[in-house]
Amino acid sequence: RVINILLYCFLLTILACSNTNEPERPPAVHPQKLIVEGKPFLMLGAQLRTDYFLQLDKKTLNELEPYFELAANMNILVIQVPVGWRDIEVQKDIYNTELVEKYIELCDKYQMKLEILWFGSYMCGYSVEGYIPEYIVNDPVTYPDLKPDAAFDGWLGKHYYLKPNTPALVERESKALGKMMEAIYDNIHNQKHTVIGIQIENEPDMLATRHNEAHGYTPEQIWPDLIIMLDKLGQVVKSSPYDCYTRVNQTTTYPEYLTKSTAIAITEGIDYVGVDPYENSIQAIDGKLRQLRKIEGNYAHIAENGGEYANNDLLALKAFSLGCGYEIFEVITTPHPFLTEWTLRGIYNPDFTPKAHTQQIVDAFKIFKEAWVDLANANYLDIAGFNLKSNDGMEQTSESKNTTHAGIKWS
């Protein structure tokens, strides 16, 4: 179905502007575009959880290249890769940027842009030992947690709940994040701008909305300090001489997620907010992206969606036809027994073999990749996505749509 559905991508922006005799529709508010190096860019990406390969599977940095090569073969434009606070600050005031430099090297080799996922104080709302320097974890007086007896052992060591926005915590995390940004700036070679964005924390909203029973605080008690802390960390990136965007990814399991997304997006330190819906409903993706587009100045995007969905080609098509971005979780999953329930998430199996729907996604993403300049630059009203009425697509259908300058019939 892929070729029949997706040939529109490369052609529509040409067709849409080719017939100036067609009456124009009333102008609409243009959604925010993703800007990279001063130009529109298409967020066509996937996540690669190198933290699991390094910490659980005990891979070395030099053994990560096959994973990056696999990601590039998916035809993505940007790869999302985590960097933990303790990856940079290996001991108090001792910094090592080898990890970031290696990721930049591999992305340059395989011609992908890099979006760094900063795993600092919060990953899925938890404070995870595997990402946080030991001196922070071992000093609850200086760096207090919300409820010490709520800690438990998880997949990367101790999981607990650092109190957000405490001055000492923000100071130390900001310093480490700043060191990473310095390394990125110093690593620019041949005018390459490999790192295009920094995600601040990972689903930090879960601290305020998902783990309340464990740590004993209400959302109203957590949100103000959490948003201030996200803003402060984002400002560290924005004050760096290296130019890139900042963003935060939100879950969608609580009624106020759009209100809180707006509150985050209007801060000085955060450029964009996206969501992690983990849904394969085209209608649901459509609705969430339309809501995110209403946030002034926000580049609406799906920051994570399950790689197990066989219709990721159509879900991405829907996102791009709305002028939005789309990223898949994930390229490939660790085979480690701690995360066997996550094995389904990868586009590829843990042994690098394809799944039943893998080639379909790869083929679709190839078309998107070839058309990305048109898709990134076009008014979304001049992009028409077809065969999106059914979550699985239809074998045969005929549709007519209008752009601002042309009527198009597809069958």
Side-chain angles (χ1 to χ4, degrees), residues 355-404:
K355 296 182 178 180
H357 65 286
T358 299
Q359 194 59 48
Q360 176 178 302
I361 305 303
V362 171
D363 289 343
F365 277 30
K366 181 179 180 181
I367 296 173
F368 294 141
K369 184 177 180 180
E370 290 174 349
W372 83 261
V373 174
D374 293 310
L375 290 171
N377 283 276
N379 182 333
Y380 80 98
L381 295 174
D382 287 329
I383 305 173
F386 293 93
N387 204 3
L388 295 173
K389 295 179 180 179
S390 166
N391 289 331
D392 297 322
M394 301 176 67
E395 290 298 325
Q396 291 185 336
T397 184
S398 179
E399 299 177 41
S400 296
K401 293 189 178 185
N402 294 317
T403 67
T404 59

Side-chain angles (χ1 to χ4, degrees), residues 47 53 136 158 269 285 314 322 364 370 388:
Q47 192 167 141
F53 307 140
I136 300 286
K158 178 182 176 181
I285 296 299
L314 299 180
L322 293 172
E370 290 174 349
L388 295 173

Side-chain angles (χ1 to χ4, degrees), residues 258-274:
L258 282 170
T259 302
K260 298 307 180 185
S261 294
T262 301
I264 295 169
I266 64 174
T267 63
E268 183 179 346
I270 304 300
D271 292 318
Y272 312 127
V273 176

